[in-house]
Amino acid sequence: MSLNTAFLLMAQYDGAAIIPLDRVCKDYFDLSQERFLRQVAAGEIKLPIVRMGKSQKSAKGVHLADLAAYLDERRTAAERECKALGAALSGARAG
C-alpha cells in the first residue's frame, strides 16, 4: 500500500502549508517547544523551522513538505532496522 505522506498531512492540518510548531511538537514528538527547538539546534532532530517574521519571538512552524520528508525518512529507517533485526534473529535461529 502506498500512501502519500504529504497528502495525509494536508488532510490532517486542513491544507496549511506551514504547520504551527506547537501542533508538530504535540502530534509527532511529545516534546515542549523549547525542548524540541533545543534538539533541532543540536542536530538531534533534522527538521527545518520556519520563522514567520524576523523577530526571535515570531511564530514558528514547519513546512508541510519538510515534515512529510522527515516522517518518510523515519519510516525508511524503521524499515531498515526491522529488516536487520529480522535477519539477525533468523541467523541466530539457524546457528
Side-chain angles (χ1 to χ4, degrees), residues 9-55:
L9 289 172
M10 281 189 261
Q12 180 178 355
Y13 294 107
D14 300 320
I18 305 296
I19 305 161
L21 196 58
D22 63 329
R23 301 259 328 259
V24 173
C25 291
K26 179 181 176 229
D27 293 347
Y28 289 98
F29 293 93
D30 194 31
L31 296 171
S32 69
Q33 286 186 52
E34 294 77 20
R35 184 170 176 112
F36 176 81
L37 289 170
R38 281 196 302 271
Q39 289 188 5
V40 168
E44 296 170 21
I45 297 174
K46 294 178 182 358
L47 193 59
I49 305 301
V50 177
R51 288 188 195 278
M52 300 312 293
K54 294 182 181 182
S55 163

Side-chain angles (χ1 to χ4, degrees), residues 77-93:
E79 288 174 331
R80 282 192 307 261
E81 185 178 321
C82 185
K83 285 179 185 175
L85 181 59
L89 290 175
S90 293
R93 289 184 193 135

Side-chain angles (χ1 to χ4, degrees), residues 51-85:
R51 288 188 195 278
M52 300 312 293
K54 294 182 181 182
S55 163
Q56 286 286 86
K57 294 186 179 187
S58 63
K60 296 173 188 70
V62 175
H63 193 279
L64 184 135
D66 293 332
L67 181 57
Y70 179 85
L71 294 174
D72 287 343
E73 186 280 322
R74 297 305 309 147
R75 179 175 183 251
T76 299
E79 288 174 331
R80 282 192 307 261
E81 185 178 321
C82 185
K83 285 179 185 175
L85 181 59

